[in-house]
Amino acid sequence: MTTEQAAPAEEEVVTVSVAAPGTAVAVDEEPEARRPVEVGRRSWWGAAFAAPHSIGLALFTVVPIVASLVVSFMNWPMIGGHTWTGLANYRRLFDDPIFWVVVRNTAEYVILYVPLNLVVSLGLAAWLTPRIRHRHIFRVLFFIPTITPLVANVVVWRMLYQPDGLIDATLQSTLGEHAPNFLADDTWAMFAVVAMSVWAGFGYNMLIFSAALDAVPDSQIEAAQLDGASAWRTFWHVKFPAISPSIFFATMMTLITSFQVFTQPFLLTKGGPGTETETLVQYIYNTGFQNQRLGLASAGAWVLFVIILGITAVQFLGQKRWVHYE
């Protein structure tokens, strides 16, 4: 062993200060001092990007809603001055017998349309299992009526319903009987509107249910089948609880849109015969833009809002009994 040895390389010495118990350790404050400034800058950038949407929401949604509430307490003709009347519009609305007729028609439409839409869409979604070949083609075909302009759908269905149309001609050739005049018959007019609406609207819910059914774990279905459960029991006790959140969402959205129905009865029957198919939204439209009574129309719109809000609240309270969230 020689006396000459390589000098050890210089190492960086790190000093660590150990504070006495109960003594605060000094920490560099500079990064934390910068953080509020950076967060503030990000907030300003976020507000700048959200400003166009926020301004549009305020101008075209919030302001009209508040204005309609104010107008509902006023006598506001289309042309001319306006005066404050308080609750007079609401009293006049509830005293109008036509108002209660259109409320009944709207309720009848909702009671017929919502269950039919859900049953048809859920049944088709359950049928379109992965075992169906080219099921994506069927999905597209079933969804086409939903994306087709509603006015075009109405034109086609008017041709089907009218005398000597396809339905009437088919019955004459097969049974020798004429079909009812669906759009002019008190008994058939609402059913005709509901049938057309179901055909035009089931595709959206069908896609929701189909995606929810595809997400059900195969292990749960296989376990039910190994236990000897039939197809119906497997669907009701395994698949239905798994897709119940999707069913709840579809039910809520279908209920809200069905209370706001306007295009189908307005274009198919003009609310007739008489007022048999006139809905609440059509009544609001006629009152405001044909009779030029904007205050009364605004009152009707707020009554419709309260009805939808109440039914939505009831649905949210009742979901605890049948909706299963994982």
Side-chain angles (χ1 to χ4, degrees):
M1 182 174 182
T2 60
T3 57
E4 297 179 1
Q5 294 182 352
E10 293 183 3
E11 297 180 359
E12 183 179 357
V13 179
V14 180
T15 60
V16 179
S17 60
V18 180
T23 305
V25 180
V27 182
D28 188 6
E29 297 289 343
E30 187 175 357
E32 293 187 0
R34 294 176 182 172
R35 191 171 303 168
V37 178
E38 295 178 357
V39 172
R41 291 176 180 174
R42 294 173 184 173
S43 300
W44 278 109
W45 277 110
F49 282 112
H53 180 271
S54 301
I55 294 173
L57 179 66
L59 289 179
F60 300 106
T61 302
V62 177
V63 172
I65 289 175
V66 176
S68 69
L69 180 60
V70 175
V71 171
S72 69
F73 295 104
M74 306 180 72
N75 179 19
W76 196 306
M78 188 75 71
I79 300 174
H82 49 272
T83 57
W84 182 268
T85 59
L87 297 175
N89 286 325
Y90 292 93
R91 289 194 294 266
R92 188 177 297 111
L93 193 71
F94 295 142
D95 291 338
D96 185 3
I98 302 298
F99 172 76
W100 296 108
V101 171
V102 299
V103 170
R104 183 204 64 192
N105 294 339
T106 305
E108 182 181 352
Y109 176 87
V110 171
I111 293 172
L112 292 173
Y113 172 74
V114 174
L116 283 174
N117 182 294
L118 296 176
V119 169
V120 171
S121 56
L122 184 57
L124 289 174
W127 175 68
L128 291 174
T129 60
R131 293 179 295 179
I132 302 297
R133 296 183 59 186
H134 308 296
R135 65 172 182 156
H136 58 282
I137 298 178
F138 289 102
R139 284 179 174 176
V140 172
L141 292 176
F142 292 147
F143 193 68
I144 286 177
T146 304
I147 60 176
T148 303
L150 197 54
V151 176
N153 289 336
V154 171
V155 171
V156 172
W157 279 82
R158 282 185 65 91
M159 297 173 62
L160 294 176
Y161 284 142
Q162 67 185 4
D164 297 327
L166 180 61
I167 298 176
D168 189 24
T170 302
L171 289 178
Q172 289 186 53
S173 60
T174 56
L175 302 178
E177 297 289 340
H178 284 279
N181 190 354
F182 294 102
L183 302 181
D185 193 303
D186 295 351
T187 304
W188 291 98
M190 182 60 74
F191 292 104
V193 173
V194 170
M196 181 265 163
S197 301
V198 170
W199 181 84
F202 74 87
Y204 180 78
N205 287 340
M206 182 209 64
L207 287 184
I208 293 177
F209 295 150
S210 182
L213 287 171
D214 289 345
V216 178
D218 294 334
S219 59
Q220 297 182 5
I221 300 175
E222 293 174 356
Q225 292 174 347
L226 290 175
D227 289 340
S230 61
W232 171 251
R233 292 179 65 87
T234 300
F235 175 82
W236 187 250
H237 295 285
V238 178
K239 294 182 180 180
F240 186 87
I243 67 173
S244 57
S246 298
I247 296 176
F248 173 71
F249 170 78
T251 303
M252 291 301 307
M253 297 304 297
T254 307
L255 270 172
I256 293 173
T257 56
S258 61
F259 272 102
Q260 299 173 349
V261 62
F262 171 75
T263 306
Q264 298 92 310
F266 181 75
L267 295 179
L268 274 177
T269 63
K270 297 294 183 181
T275 56
E276 289 298 319
T277 58
E278 183 176 346
T279 59
L280 190 51
V281 175
Q282 187 175 350
Y283 175 84
I284 295 170
Y285 170 82
N286 293 336
T287 303
F289 295 100
Q290 293 186 0
N291 301 331
Q292 300 183 3
R293 303 170 69 179
L294 297 180
L296 189 61
S298 298
W302 276 94
V303 170
L304 175 61
F305 170 76
V306 171
I307 292 174
I308 295 176
L309 183 64
I311 293 177
T312 303
V314 171
Q315 288 292 322
F316 270 98
L317 292 176
Q319 68 166 328
K320 299 177 182 179
R321 297 186 178 182
W322 64 277
V323 180
H324 304 276
Y325 295 100
E326 294 183 358

